[in-house]
Amino acid sequence: MSDEPIDLQDALASFDEIWSPRIVTRVNDYDVRVAKVAGDHLWHVHDDTDECFLVLDGVLNIGLRDARGERTVTLRKGMVFVVPKGVEHKPSAPDGASMLVFEPSGTLSVGDRHDEVPDYVDVTVGHPLTRG
């Protein structure tokens, strides 16, 4: 990881793929990832970890299925939300968005249990950030 400051806008400008997070840095055993998103992700669950979302630009909807039933939270630029471990969720951004995700290193982008993965969703534990 870099020992220099990282501009998140530059990090986002370094790739075009949607639903394909880049690891910008690590904090202890956690990745700080940025991603461009558009359309729907998929319903999935992280059995053993919470997942923290911070919207950097645009609007992100997160569908949730839990003991409270099914609902959607809407996050606008600057808003943060934590999906607790074990909660089924489905991020979506009909008009596109960019986000920062904070989760343990090695966490799979499609969770531990999930629906069928669409071709445009990258099944990854995050890609290294490449800077020019």
Side-chain angles (χ1 to χ4, degrees):
M1 293 288 99
S2 175
D3 62 352
E4 296 293 323
I6 298 165
D7 184 303
L8 295 179
Q9 294 306 315
D10 289 347
L12 286 162
S14 72
F15 65 98
D16 294 321
E17 297 83 7
I18 61 168
W19 301 113
S20 183
R22 299 304 192 268
I23 302 167
V24 294
T25 194
R26 287 198 170 92
V27 178
N28 298 316
D29 297 330
Y30 281 75
D31 288 345
V32 178
R33 303 176 187 177
V34 293
K36 295 178 181 180
V37 298
D40 292 331
H41 195 263
L42 64 144
W43 284 104
H44 67 284
V45 176
H46 300 281
D47 289 325
D48 299 315
T49 186
D50 299 339
E51 187 172 22
C52 180
F53 295 88
L54 169 65
V55 175
L56 301 171
D57 194 37
V59 176
L60 180 71
N61 298 310
I62 304 176
L64 301 166
R65 293 178 182 156
D66 59 16
R68 295 172 56 185
E70 190 167 325
R71 64 190 174 104
T72 300
V73 295
T74 299
L75 307 176
R76 291 172 183 74
K77 182 178 179 177
M79 296 178 80
V80 65
F81 182 77
V82 174
V83 175
K85 67 182 175 183
V87 172
E88 191 175 15
H89 59 287
K90 179 181 181 177
S92 66
D95 298 320
S98 59
M99 63 183 183
L100 181 142
V101 180
F102 187 73
E103 58 195 348
S105 298
T107 299
L108 196 60
S109 62
V110 296
D112 303 309
R113 294 177 281 124
H114 53 77
D115 285 349
E116 185 173 332
V117 180
D119 291 340
Y120 58 86
V121 172
D122 188 6
V123 178
T124 181
V125 294
H127 298 284
L129 180 65
T130 56
R131 294 182 278 175

